[in-house]
Amino acid sequence: MFTITTWGESHGAGVGVVVDGCPPLLPITAEEIQAELDRRRPGQSDIVTPRNEADAVEILSGVFEGKTTGAPIAMLVRNADQRPGAYDEMREKFRPSHADFAYQAKYGARDHRGGGRSSARETIGRVAAGAIAKKLLSAKGVEIRAFVARVQDLAIPETVLSEMPFPSPAQIEASAVRCPHAATAEAMIERIKEVRAAGDSVGGVIRCRVHGVPAGLGEPVFDRLEADLAKAMLSLPASKGFEIGSGFAGTLLKGSEHNDAWISQDGKPRTATNRSGGVQGGISNGEEIFFNVAFKPTATIMLPQKTVDARGAQTELTGRGRHDPCVLPRAVPIVESMAALVLVDHWMRQNAQCGTFQL
Ligand SMILES: Cc1cc2nc3c(=O)[nH]c(=O)nc-3n(C[C@H](O)[C@H](O)[C@H](O)COP(=O)(O)O)c2cc1C
């Protein structure tokens, strides 16, 4: 019910989004949307791509006198710092583990400049729409916090992670890598700088935690809440895995160890533990929703790699242009945005089916 269409390519005129189905009368400003875009923009620290873009958002429609009108909301970010020449070689050669070959095979045509449509610049539209979704949710007391939990093998210790209080935005933004555990953050930053200096890249895991979602969101059986969250996260460029609650580690436990016992708290059912990650039967149960998203090492690296050209001949390619040695710090606001979009959509669907007639 709350839908978005993103559009634009890395080196085209700009990128953006059309948000359809947004409730009217939500107060929203370009500054609020810009604040979220600033968290994903390139050039924000010395461990991300140095491409220097302000990513300034323009709201073209759907907002009048500071409030949404219920009409489609179109938002535009013009591309500014383009160096298409840096990608000339990629017109002919397929970058290993990037989208070049697959786009060519599917469409028979592609905008090779900066990865075109497969560039992570596409996610600007998601973050702009996510800012609106977050504002809707915050009016309902829902807060979403994503952070970097692991870079390569450097992880927030499991005991710290599992007992960590809900982090504040300031704790997450305190380090350039967006890891709220200071000692781990420092080691992560060091590692990212090391691999970048070597022309290489690393991946890792983002954890997302959501507070304040009421019981009842999710549409069994195909649009289970965790299924829609998984799809949202796996639709992100470079994401390779999704797990909710106990995830893959839960498979090591017995049922007696794994079950979340029900306890009565102030007369309300709560769970003593939260291995379900806040979702049971595809429906939120009122506990914290938490999940992990795995991101691979950035495909474009500054080292020679074997590849094939458009004519099928074996060749070599060394990455050029400006790239993220690790996509995770900039992916944090993108993960939060996708979570917000899924939750707003499910909230509206829940109300449409179960709230309209009040039988
Ligand atoms: C925030 C963010 C930044 C990214 N930056 C780069 C980059 O600088 N260079 C690159 O090769 N890939 C980058 N990627 C990943 C590519 O967009 C992605 O690998 C590519 O579209 C192929 O898709 P796939 O990895 O999901 O198969 C980034 C991804 C995200 C989420």
Side-chain angles (χ1 to χ4, degrees):
M1 295 189 71
F2 189 89
T3 66
I4 69 166
T5 303
T6 68
W7 52 268
E9 290 86 21
S10 170
H11 283 57
V15 291
V17 67
V18 177
V19 181
D20 235 322
C22 182
L25 302 176
L26 175 76
I28 192 87
T29 62
E31 289 70 34
E32 286 169 296
I33 292 159
Q34 192 62 52
E36 288 295 326
L37 289 176
D38 287 348
R39 298 175 69 213
R40 85 152 286 296
R41 86 176 184 86
Q44 61 183 273
S45 76
D46 62 352
I47 56 165
V48 304
T49 170
R51 181 170 167 161
N52 189 19
E53 302 226 43
D55 286 350
V57 70
E58 297 166 48
I59 301 176
L60 304 182
S61 69
V63 179
F64 181 63
E65 294 180 338
K67 289 185 183 157
T68 58
T69 61
I73 303 167
M75 292 183 277
L76 158 71
V77 167
R78 292 172 204 274
N79 291 330
D81 186 10
Q82 298 149 288
R83 294 185 198 167
Y87 296 91
D88 283 350
E89 217 181 349
M90 282 147 213
R91 182 190 282 276
E92 292 298 321
K93 295 179 182 176
F94 303 128
R95 279 173 295 175
S97 284
H98 212 291
D100 305 337
F101 170 75
Y103 267 61
Q104 189 67 41
K106 179 177 172 69
Y107 299 110
R110 75 196 153 95
D111 179 349
H112 69 284
R113 302 163 306 165
R117 181 70 179 150
S118 72
S119 161
R121 276 195 79 65
E122 178 272 333
T123 62
I124 283 178
R126 305 179 191 225
V127 172
I132 295 173
K134 274 187 172 181
K135 185 92 192 268
L136 284 165
L137 291 171
S138 76
K140 290 284 189 186
V142 174
E143 292 184 282
I144 304 174
R145 305 267 196 278
F147 54 88
V148 176
R150 181 151 68 75
V151 165
Q152 208 177 13
D153 59 322
L154 301 170
I156 301 175
E158 194 47 49
T159 46
V160 176
L161 188 64
S162 58
E163 278 156 34
M164 194 163 81
F166 197 62
S168 68
Q171 283 169 321
I172 295 167
E173 299 301 310
S175 72
V177 72
R178 298 203 164 89
C179 169
H181 187 250
T184 312
E186 210 175 298
M188 288 171 170
I189 291 169
E190 215 39 52
R191 175 71 56 83
I192 294 170
K193 287 182 176 170
E194 269 167 36
V195 295
R196 187 188 50 194
D200 219 329
S201 65
V202 276
V205 174
I206 288 180
R207 166 150 304 192
C208 185
R209 297 176 58 177
V210 189
H211 261 196
V213 176
L217 305 194
E219 300 294 328
V221 289
F222 296 110
D223 296 347
R224 284 167 160 253
L225 190 57
E226 74 270 50
D228 277 0
L229 286 169
K231 178 167 184 183
M233 300 306 150
L234 292 174
S235 77
L236 293 175
S239 68
K240 280 286 173 200
F242 174 88
E243 56 177 1
I244 186 160
S246 58
F248 287 91
T251 60
L252 300 171
L253 302 178
K254 295 185 185 130
S256 55
E257 298 165 319
H258 188 264
N259 285 348
D260 294 320
W262 285 108
I263 48 167
S264 176
Q265 205 178 74
D266 305 325
K268 290 195 185 112
R270 297 283 316 266
T271 62
T273 51
N274 186 19
R275 296 191 183 90
S276 304
V279 182
Q280 292 171 331
I283 302 170
S284 61
N285 67 359
E287 300 297 326
E288 176 179 308
I289 294 173
F290 73 93
F291 56 85
N292 290 336
V293 190
F295 287 89
K296 72 184 193 184
T298 316
T300 310
I301 54 174
M302 308 300 140
L303 298 169
Q305 291 184 282
K306 261 195 199 158
T307 191
V308 166
D309 68 20
R311 286 173 302 281
Q314 190 71 53
T315 181
E316 229 183 46
L317 178 70
T318 302
R320 288 182 58 209
R322 292 155 299 165
H323 295 276
D324 290 284
C326 176
V327 307
L328 280 90
R330 295 179 57 218
V332 164
I334 309 173
V335 166
E336 289 180 359
S337 295
M338 292 308 290
L341 292 167
V342 169
L343 290 170
V344 164
D345 185 50
H346 273 283
W347 208 308
M348 290 172 73
R349 291 173 73 176
Q350 163 66 1
N351 207 44
Q353 187 191 8
C354 302
T356 307
F357 291 102
Q358 302 284 329
L359 302 171

